Amino acid sequence: MFLGEEAAAQFQLPVLETGFTADDIQEWLSDLFQSTNSGSSEGSTRAVYSDDERKKRRMISNRESARRSRWRKKKQLEDLTEELNRSAVENQVLKNELNIVLNQCYLLWREKEQLTSEYVALRTRLSNLYRILGSMQTPSQ
C-alpha cells in the first residue's frame, strides 16, 4: 500500500465523523496516487481512465456522497429529536409554573371575596351603629 500506518492514523478522527473506515480512505488515496502516477508519458498531469475505471470511480464517489448524505440526515434527525425533547421538558416546566400561578390566583380571589363580604357586613353594622348613636343623641319629646 502507498500509505503507512502513520498516515492511516491521521485519518482516524475524520473517519469517525464520516463513517468511512481507515482502510477505505487508504484504498482511495492509494488508487488516486497510483492513477495520477500512471498517466501518459508525455508529461500530462491529467490522468487517462478507461470507461470501467470511470464507472468504478463514479460509483465510489456516489457511494461516498450517499454515505455523507445519510450521515447528515441522521445527524439532523438526532438534533431535531434533542430539540424536541428539550422543548417537551421546557413545556412541562412552564405548565407546572402556570398551575402554581393559577392556584395562587384562585386563593387570592377567594381571599378577596371573603374580605369583600366582611367589608359589607362591617359597613352595614357601622351604619346601624351610627343610626343608633344618632337616635340617642336627639332630644326626646
Side-chain angles (χ1 to χ4, degrees):
M1 279 282 173
F2 183 79
L3 297 174
E5 290 296 321
E6 292 176 16
Q10 293 174 355
F11 293 106
Q12 285 185 348
L13 184 59
V15 169
L16 296 175
E17 293 175 358
T18 61
F20 298 123
T21 64
D23 291 334
D24 290 340
I25 293 173
Q26 193 172 21
E27 180 181 335
W28 293 325
L29 289 174
S30 175
D31 289 344
L32 177 69
F33 288 120
Q34 286 176 359
S35 298
T36 304
N37 292 336
S38 66
S40 65
S41 60
E42 299 170 355
S44 170
T45 58
R46 186 173 178 159
V48 178
Y49 301 110
S50 69
D51 287 340
D52 288 340
E53 288 175 331
R54 278 193 297 254
K55 287 179 183 177
K56 182 179 178 184
R57 291 175 62 81
R58 189 171 44 243
M59 183 177 68
I60 290 171
S61 176
N62 288 345
R63 284 182 182 169
E64 289 177 46
S65 178
R67 187 175 292 146
R68 285 191 305 267
S69 177
R70 286 191 302 270
W71 181 81
R72 279 192 305 271
K73 286 181 181 180
K74 180 180 176 187
K75 180 74 173 133
Q76 184 181 23
L77 179 62
E78 289 171 355
D79 292 345
L80 289 173
T81 302
E82 276 183 35
E83 185 178 348
L84 175 68
N85 290 337
R86 280 192 307 270
S87 296
V89 168
E90 182 181 2
N91 190 27
Q92 190 59 48
V93 167
L94 291 172
K95 282 181 178 180
N96 291 343
E97 289 176 4
L98 178 62
N99 282 333
I100 290 170
V101 169
L102 288 174
N103 285 334
Q104 290 173 343
C105 183
Y106 176 73
L107 292 175
L108 289 172
W109 176 81
R110 296 262 324 247
E111 185 178 355
K112 179 195 98 60
E113 290 294 317
Q114 182 181 355
L115 290 173
T116 302
S117 175
E118 288 177 17
Y119 166 77
V120 169
L122 289 173
R123 183 90 175 161
T124 304
R125 186 171 176 201
L126 181 64
S127 177
N128 290 339
L129 288 174
Y130 277 139
R131 218 173 334 120
I132 291 172
L133 183 63
S135 68
M136 291 171 80
Q137 288 179 349
T138 55
S140 1
Q141 292 177 347

